[in-house]
């Protein structure tokens, strides 16, 4: 733990930055089982926002594990550290006036709450929108786009969320998307509608 460190503020406040760039930042935090549709929806949402000339950036589970978090595995402790770092990185992106879309299973409520608390404690507080990408285990298991459920059932993957590791559903997410009922386009529309309604994007 570093001790002799001092925070160096910028010359442009977060509010002035938003004013100058004509855009506010926010973190749109997708959580849900593997194959629930987080990456699919995050990718479509990012594309939708960029086509409207809004700065958007996606932080996706596996991608981040190739680089920033390549030292981490899937034990409870490593999952916690994975999400802690993503919470910090998404806050930095959002403070830069970017609409930041994260796509991580983030199975533990306490870790998501920590990310939310980080955003709330920032100055000024940064919007944190928790999106529960919800689909029954039977549905995600039948999709199994990466063949991971098959491997987990065969015991080839330990600590697999939903099979041998818990997924704690959000109690009060800002948005719920049931991907066995709503299309990808419908999901993007729902999230985008929320951003407009809350004044986070102006069109
Ligand atoms: N309404 C829907 N919304 C999103 N994805 C859907 C929907 N209907 C079917 N799918 C399919 O479900 C799969 C979801 O896979 P995706 O990689 O997006 O999941 P994920 O939640 O990111 O999983 P992981 O945590 O393993 O990265 C894709 O094959 C996608 O085409
Ligand atoms: Mg994914």
């Amino acid at each position: 733990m570093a001790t002799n460190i001092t925070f160096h503020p910028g010359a442009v406040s977060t509010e002035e930055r938003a004013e100058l760039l004509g855009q506010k930042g926010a973190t749109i935090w997708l959580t849900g089982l593997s194959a629930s549709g987080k990456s699919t929806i995050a990718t479509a949402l990012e594309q939708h926002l960029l086509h409207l000339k809004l700065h958007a950036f996606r932080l996706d589970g596996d991608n981040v594990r190739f680089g920033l978090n390549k030292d981490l595995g899937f034990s409870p402790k490593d999952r916690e550290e994975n999400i802690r770092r993503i919470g910090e990185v998404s806050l930095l992106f959002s403070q830069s006036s970017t609409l930041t879309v994260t796509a991580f299973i983030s199975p533990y409520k306490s870790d998501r709450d920590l990310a939310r608390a980080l955003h709330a404690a920032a100055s000024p507080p940064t919007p944190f929108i928790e999106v529960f990408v919800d689909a029954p285990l039977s549905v995600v298991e039948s999709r199994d786009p990466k063949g991971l459920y098959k491997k987990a059932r065969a015991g080839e993957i330990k600590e697999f969320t939903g099979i041998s590791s818990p997924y704690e559903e959000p109690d009060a997410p800002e948005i719920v998307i049931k991907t066995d009922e709503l299309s990808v386009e419908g999901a993007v529309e729902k999230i985008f509608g929320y951003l407009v309604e809350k004044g986070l994007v102006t069109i």
Side-chain angles (χ1 to χ4, degrees):
M1 173 88 89
T3 47
N4 293 317
I5 54 171
T6 308
F7 191 83
H8 195 124
V12 178
S13 69
T14 301
E15 292 92 335
E16 189 186 356
R17 180 190 305 270
E19 190 74 24
L20 289 168
L21 297 176
Q23 187 186 320
K24 293 176 195 157
T27 295
I28 301 147
W29 188 283
L30 273 51
T31 172
L33 291 171
S34 179
S36 60
K38 300 177 300 295
S39 296
T40 305
I41 294 169
T43 304
L45 178 63
E46 179 188 42
Q47 185 181 36
H48 181 76
L49 295 169
L50 286 168
H51 283 185
L52 289 169
K53 308 228 180 297
L54 293 161
H55 293 277
F57 196 74
R58 189 172 45 89
L59 296 169
D60 196 290
D62 282 0
N63 301 2
V64 170
R65 282 182 179 274
F66 278 116
L68 178 68
N69 289 356
K70 68 175 165 193
D71 56 324
L72 302 176
F74 290 90
S75 68
K77 202 163 170 290
D78 279 5
R79 284 179 191 260
E80 181 185 337
E81 177 61 10
N82 184 44
I83 299 305
R84 187 194 69 79
R85 290 185 200 168
I86 300 313
E88 295 280 4
V89 172
S90 59
L91 175 60
L92 292 172
F93 268 91
S94 293
Q95 286 176 325
S96 78
S97 267
T98 300
L99 291 163
T100 313
V101 188
T102 72
F104 297 83
I105 297 176
S106 43
Y108 303 132
K109 196 172 169 305
S110 57
D111 296 343
R112 297 189 304 264
D113 287 348
L114 185 78
R116 182 187 287 277
L118 266 177
H119 284 68
S123 179
T126 302
F128 182 87
I129 301 143
E130 191 173 1
V131 181
F132 179 24
V133 181
D134 186 17
L137 184 63
S138 57
V139 170
V140 297
E141 201 166 351
S142 69
R143 288 181 185 161
D144 207 10
K146 304 178 195 163
L148 297 177
Y149 284 97
K150 195 158 176 269
K151 282 191 185 166
R153 288 288 186 198
E156 288 167 32
I157 307 177
K158 307 278 172 243
E159 303 181 288
F160 193 75
T161 303
I163 305 289
S164 44
S165 184
Y167 178 77
E168 299 171 1
E169 294 193 359
D171 293 331
E174 278 73 8
I175 302 173
V176 178
I177 307 273
K178 291 194 173 292
T179 61
D180 54 333
E181 296 172 6
L182 198 62
S183 66
V184 178
E185 297 72 31
V188 169
E189 217 170 279
K190 189 167 180 180
I191 299 170
F192 186 71
Y194 181 93
L195 298 175
V196 172
E197 184 194 314
K198 297 291 171 190
L200 295 169
V201 298
T202 37
I203 45 163

